[in-house]
Amino acid sequence: MAYAGLTAERLTRAGAELADEVGFDQVTVSELARRFDVKVASLYSHLKNSRDLKTRIALLALEELADRAAEALAGRAGKDALTAFGNVYRDYAREHPGRYAAAQFRLDPEAAAASAGGRHSQMTRAILRGYDLTEPDQTHAVRLLGSVFHGFVSLELAGGFSHSAPDSAESWSRTLDALDTLLRNWPAP
């Protein structure tokens, strides 16, 4: 029997909030049932299992992140676009660490194809068009940006930059400057 007010969307949003509070790895259907003070079995009319819940949270996070990035990129180009894009990822990860972790969740091919992941790739490639990169360099640059953004954010969230000066915000700004310089002067093969 489905409980009044419980829907897959409501459970997904509650799961995303839970992920931000306790960490994405700790999100389970059992923990969500405790949150709503219902039996686990009552959630199975809305969710298949914990993997389904995590997939739904990942899809939500990818969508939220893509929406923020699209809004931030509107009317921007070159370094301004690169900086806006990077800042969206960093800010989202800091505001929603569990959801950010969910955005890294490995999706099955069907879910990945239906996700906002493609929008992220399109936006990254749109930014790179301002740097006149052609294939395969554009793909290398997409991977570079993803690696640098994710690596910096992950280290920062884990406290890896909190032990010494200068402040990580200064390092972030310098990282974006360095990426812009690299992209403008991309090395020939």
Side-chain angles (χ1 to χ4, degrees), residues 12 23-29 47 49-60 102-103 105 107:
T12 300
F24 181 65
D25 290 341
Q26 304 306 312
V27 174
T28 63
V29 174
L47 303 167
N49 50 38
S50 288
R51 177 160 180 81
D52 180 40
L53 174 61
K54 287 186 173 193
T55 296
R56 289 171 184 271
I57 296 167
L59 294 172
L60 172 67
F105 186 64
L107 299 171

Side-chain angles (χ1 to χ4, degrees), residues 20 31 34 42 48 55 57 73 113 118-119 126 152 159 161 164 182 185 189:
D20 287 338
E31 188 60 37
R34 277 192 281 285
S42 66
K48 295 176 191 170
T55 296
I57 296 167
L73 288 173
R119 288 177 57 205
F152 190 100
F161 302 141
S164 62
L182 173 65
N185 299 293

Side-chain angles (χ1 to χ4, degrees), residues 5-186:
L6 288 184
T7 64
E9 181 179 343
R10 184 168 178 218
L11 293 170
T12 300
R13 293 208 171 273
E17 291 169 12
L18 182 63
D20 287 338
E21 293 169 20
V22 301
F24 181 65
D25 290 341
Q26 304 306 312
V27 174
T28 63
V29 174
S30 297
E31 188 60 37
L32 199 56
R34 277 192 281 285
R35 194 52 65 116
F36 283 96
D37 195 28
V38 297
K39 294 189 184 303
V40 173
S42 66
L43 299 187
Y44 287 122
S45 60
H46 305 288
L47 303 167
K48 295 176 191 170
N49 50 38
S50 288
R51 177 160 180 81
D52 180 40
L53 174 61
K54 287 186 173 193
T55 296
R56 289 171 184 271
I57 296 167
L59 294 172
L60 172 67
L62 287 168
E63 189 73 32
E64 288 176 342
L65 199 45
D67 289 347
R68 283 188 183 197
E71 185 178 323
L73 288 173
R76 298 177 192 253
K79 183 181 179 189
D80 191 34
L82 175 68
T83 299
F85 195 63
N87 285 338
V88 162
Y89 277 83
R90 182 172 180 243
D91 292 346
Y92 187 81
R94 292 167 68 164
E95 292 169 30
H96 300 290
R99 293 178 204 209
Y100 179 77
Q104 314 310 312
F105 186 64
R106 187 180 188 115
L107 299 171
D108 66 54
E110 187 176 305
S115 78
R119 288 177 57 205
H120 292 271
S121 178
Q122 291 170 348
M123 286 185 275
T124 306
R125 288 181 183 280
I127 291 167
L128 292 173
R129 279 195 291 275
Y131 291 98
D132 294 324
L133 296 178
T134 58
E135 287 301 340
D137 290 331
Q138 192 176 87
T139 296
H140 296 314
V142 166
R143 292 173 180 166
L144 171 73
L145 292 178
S147 298
V148 171
F149 293 165
H150 179 66
F152 190 100
V153 165
S154 296
L155 288 168
E156 186 177 39
L157 287 175
F161 302 141
S162 62
H163 301 85
S164 62
D167 184 71
S168 63
E170 184 178 337
S171 296
W172 178 249
S173 178
R174 303 266 319 248
T175 297
L176 293 172
D177 289 344
L179 285 171
D180 175 64
T181 299
L182 173 65
L183 292 170
R184 280 188 283 109
N185 299 293
W186 190 265

